[in-house]
């Protein structure tokens, strides 16, 4: 985000003729109040030392004002002179560099990692070269490349000749040599659901990469590594977008077949064992992560909403939330991430429906001490933003250190942008972080080693990879 200030301008008028107050809020930390009267009362000023607190008091020579709640859209001022009330409507002025809601304290430094990555589609944060620092992996336009931390020098892994129709990657050190391997999904074509290939890129001497073909997977779309069975080895979850028999415009004639690949002790030759996980219609996104135990589980965002799969134990599947209502294929969920609040509650953040316009959150109940591995049940779906155009990017992270995960979302259509949503115990306050990116994907990690999670986005039409570094004290 740029260093431009965001200003919120509000007006107050009393019932006394020709008497008004003007508030100019500059930035977050300070504001000045100045009276503008025409009936002889001397002008006076009020200053807020810290706008970030929930309650503030104002004193003048003649009256006392109190703001009951700065965290909501409307506040009331009451004067002791004649019990007059003033209603304030906060109007946010949107600047290209970003916007702040009054209750928000989220600010970011915008750092461009690559300003020329045509067709950018997916981004990862992972240690590629084994130096202990997270690097950035980006793909799109047939190319997979990684950017070395901290110089962000770009190094090509595969080219359009080798991986045409590239669509996803998953990076991990599979053999323990300190250098990461990258699983690559390519040859994807939305209207040709039988097409799709899986390969493994391995590092060789001199910075070269060797690609090994692993399998043909029709409509291959999303890849994620995870320890699904508790054996301390990573399995690769592969989620096709469609079933092999689907046809536009509904794409509902066949379900996508989720599978995982067990790489074995020597993953490089690509002789992996495949295992079926289940089937879902129009699986646009997956998240693989631990939910409450040592093994990792699989969240799917698809036409039926969000489900969770567990390969350990009974290998069960549970439906968690239904997503957005509608008709095929514009229903259910398109992206999903699991977040948490400082009171211990979990929440599901989604973009709904498929390539949809909505950012939604479903809050979970109090933590279940008797069954920590049981995720849910979740409360009703709350749409916190319905202004996305072709929503395609989602992430959750506690970027401001308040104990609550923020939701980050981006879209690639008209008025493209990346926004953050901060929970204020009742609603979610939106901060627009960047309007100069047509966001296709969002990921996170601590890029600078300061203990605060950072966020990285990749833009398709805008051809850029951008790091959003949270601004905290001392940064």
């Amino acid at each position: 985000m740029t260093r431009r200030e965001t200003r919120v301008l509000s007006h107050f008028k009393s019932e006394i003729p020709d008497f008004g107050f003007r508030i100019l809020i500059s930035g977050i930390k300070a504001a000045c109040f100045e009276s503008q009267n025409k009936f002889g009362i001397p002008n006076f000023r009020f200053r807020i030392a810290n706008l970030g607190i929930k309650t503030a008091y104002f004193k003048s020579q003649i009256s006392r004002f109190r703001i009951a709640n700065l965290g909501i859209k409307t506040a009331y001022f009451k004067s002791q002179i004649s019990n007059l009330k003033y209603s304030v409507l906060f109007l946010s002025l949107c600047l290209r560099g970003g916007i702040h809601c009054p209750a928000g304290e989220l600010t970011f430094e915008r750092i461009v990692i690559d300003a020329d990555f045509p067709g950018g589609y997916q981004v990862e944060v992972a240690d590629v070269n084994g130096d202990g620092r997270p690097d950035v992996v980006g793909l799109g336009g047939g190319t997979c490349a990684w950017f070395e931390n901290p110089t962000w020098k770009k190094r090509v892994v595969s080219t359009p000749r080798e991986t045409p129709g590239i669509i996803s990657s998953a990076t991990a050190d599979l053999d323990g040599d300190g250098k990461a391997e990258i699983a690559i999904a390519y040859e994807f074509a939305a209207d040709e659901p039988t097409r799709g290939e899986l390969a493994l890129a391995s590092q060789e001497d001199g910075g070269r990469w060797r690609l090994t073909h692993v399998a043909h997977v029709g409509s291959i779309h999303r890849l994620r590594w995870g320890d699904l069975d508790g054996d301390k080895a990573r399995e690769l979850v592969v989620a096709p977008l469609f079933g092999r028999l689907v046809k536009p415009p509904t794409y509902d004639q066949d379900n996508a077949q989720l599978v995982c690949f067990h790489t074995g002790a020597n993953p490089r030759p690509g002789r992996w064992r495949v295992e079926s996980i289940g089937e879902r219609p129009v699986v646009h996104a997956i998240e693989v992560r631990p939910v409450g135990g040592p093994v990792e589980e699989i969240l799917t965002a698809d036409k039926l909403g969000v489900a969770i799969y567990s390969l350990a134990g009974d290998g069960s599947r549970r439906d968690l939330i239904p997503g957005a209502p509608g008709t095929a294929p514009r229903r259910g969920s398109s992206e999903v991430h699991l977040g948490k609040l400082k009171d211990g509650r979990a929440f599901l953040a989604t973009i709904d429906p498929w390539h949809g316009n909505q950012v939604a959150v479903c809050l979970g109940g109090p933590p279940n001490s008797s069954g920590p591995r049981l995720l849910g049940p979740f409360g009703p779906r709350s749409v916190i933003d319905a202004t996305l155009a072709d929503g395609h990017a989602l992430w959750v992270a506690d970027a401001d250190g308040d104990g609550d995960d923020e939701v980050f979302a981006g879209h690639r259509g008209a008025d493209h942008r990346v926004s953050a949503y901060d929970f204020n115990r009742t609603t979610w306050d939106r901060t627009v972080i960047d309007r100069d990116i047509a966001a296709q994907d969002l990921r996170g990690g601590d890029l600078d080693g300061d203990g605060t999670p950072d966020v990285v986005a990749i833009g398709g039409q805008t051809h850029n990879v951008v790091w959003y570094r949270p601004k905290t004290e001392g940064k």
Side-chain angles (χ1 to χ4, degrees):
M1 175 178 163
T2 65
R3 297 180 180 274
R4 302 173 188 168
E5 291 180 323
T6 298
R7 292 179 172 85
V8 179
L9 190 63
S10 303
H11 297 273
F12 311 93
K13 280 198 173 180
S14 76
E15 297 169 12
I16 303 175
D18 298 317
F19 185 80
F21 295 100
R22 177 181 293 268
I23 300 179
L24 178 63
I25 302 176
S26 180
I28 290 180
K29 293 297 183 183
C32 292
F33 286 26
E34 184 174 359
S35 73
Q36 297 175 341
N37 65 81
K38 298 182 180 179
F39 56 94
I41 298 177
N43 289 350
F44 49 91
R45 293 174 180 263
F46 311 93
R47 185 170 187 83
I48 307 174
N50 190 339
L51 198 60
I53 58 176
K54 288 293 184 183
T55 304
Y57 294 89
F58 309 76
K59 270 190 177 182
S60 77
Q61 303 167 12
I62 59 173
S63 62
R64 182 189 298 263
F65 302 85
R66 183 174 185 274
I67 298 179
N69 193 337
L70 281 175
I72 57 176
K73 293 294 184 182
T74 303
Y76 293 92
F77 295 90
K78 189 174 182 181
S79 167
Q80 292 181 345
I81 302 175
S82 57
N83 292 327
L84 299 175
K85 289 185 178 180
Y86 309 90
S87 179
V88 184
L89 177 63
F90 287 95
L91 301 176
S92 297
L93 177 62
C94 299
L95 298 180
R96 188 168 183 81
I99 178 173
H100 288 288
C101 294
E105 296 182 0
L106 288 168
T107 57
F108 296 83
E109 180 182 3
R110 184 181 191 269
I111 301 170
V112 177
I113 292 175
D114 190 352
D116 186 19
F117 200 118
Y121 187 81
Q122 185 197 274
V123 68
E124 291 187 84
V125 175
D127 183 5
V128 176
N129 59 356
D131 65 356
R133 291 180 293 203
D135 306 299
V136 172
V137 180
L139 62 81
T143 297
C144 179
W146 70 284
F147 302 88
E148 185 175 5
N149 189 347
T151 64
W152 307 118
K153 181 177 180 179
K154 184 177 182 179
R155 304 176 188 275
V156 174
V157 176
S158 68
T159 66
R161 181 181 62 83
E162 298 165 307
T163 52
I166 197 168
I167 195 73
S168 187
S169 68
T171 303
D173 178 10
L174 300 178
D175 53 13
D177 66 351
K179 296 181 179 180
E181 285 74 39
I182 304 177
I184 297 177
Y186 63 105
E187 284 284 9
F188 172 81
D191 291 336
E192 298 181 54
T194 60
R195 288 181 55 185
E197 304 296 337
L198 173 65
L200 182 70
S202 304
Q203 299 187 56
E204 297 186 327
D205 294 339
R208 297 185 303 273
W209 290 80
R210 175 170 57 88
L211 264 66
T212 302
H213 184 264
V214 174
H216 169 82
V217 182
S219 196
I220 192 169
H221 192 251
R222 290 290 181 266
L223 308 177
R224 298 291 185 271
W225 291 106
D227 181 7
L228 304 177
D229 53 13
D231 65 354
K232 308 301 181 183
R234 291 183 177 92
E235 288 77 43
L236 180 68
V237 180
V238 179
L241 177 62
F242 300 133
R244 297 172 64 87
L245 304 179
V246 301
K247 296 179 181 179
T250 58
Y251 300 101
D252 60 357
Q253 296 85 1
D254 192 14
N255 288 339
Q257 304 294 318
L258 278 75
V259 299
C260 75
F261 286 88
H262 300 265
T263 63
N266 184 13
R268 287 198 176 197
R271 293 188 290 270
W272 300 352
R273 178 174 62 87
V274 64
E275 178 181 356
S276 176
I277 297 173
E279 61 180 60
R280 301 286 284 184
V282 191
V283 180
H284 188 264
I286 57 174
E287 179 176 39
V288 178
R289 57 163 296 160
V291 170
V295 300
E296 296 180 86
E297 300 179 59
I298 306 161
L299 293 169
T300 65
D302 54 62
K303 196 182 74 170
L304 299 181
V306 175
I308 184 168
Y309 285 86
S310 175
L311 265 64
D314 59 1
S316 64
R317 185 210 82 215
R318 289 188 296 122
D319 294 332
L320 298 178
I321 58 174
T327 57
R330 304 292 181 181
R331 58 162 297 163
S333 296
S334 190
E335 305 286 342
V336 62
H337 284 293
L338 177 65
K340 65 177 182 178
L341 302 177
K342 62 183 176 183
D343 61 10
R345 286 182 294 169
F347 67 85
L348 287 174
T350 57
I351 289 179
D352 301 332
W354 181 32
H355 293 173
N357 66 315
Q358 300 172 353
V359 182
V361 170
C362 293
L363 294 178
N368 184 358
S369 59
S370 63
R373 293 190 67 250
L374 292 178
L375 186 62
F378 290 93
R381 178 173 168 269
S382 176
V383 177
I384 63 175
D385 193 349
T387 64
L388 277 63
D390 209 358
H392 206 268
L394 188 71
W395 190 248
V396 295
D398 182 11
D400 59 4
D402 65 356
D404 295 328
D405 282 344
E406 287 75 52
V407 177
F408 297 84
H411 66 271
R412 59 192 184 184
D415 190 32
H416 51 65
R417 60 181 179 267
V418 168
S419 300
Y421 306 83
D422 192 12
F423 189 53
N424 65 16
R425 322 277 21 115
T426 304
T427 60
W428 296 77
D429 297 317
R430 189 185 81 178
T431 299
V432 175
I433 301 173
D434 190 1
R435 294 185 182 275
D436 292 327
I437 189 165
Q440 293 273 25
D441 194 21
L442 288 163
R443 299 290 181 94
D446 185 6
L447 297 186
D448 53 6
D450 66 350
T452 300
D454 305 291
V455 180
V456 180
I458 191 166
Q461 297 177 27
T462 48
H463 298 181
N464 48 356
V465 181
V466 182
W467 167 20
Y468 305 108
R469 184 172 184 250
K471 291 182 180 180
T472 58
E473 294 296 327
K475 288 181 68 172

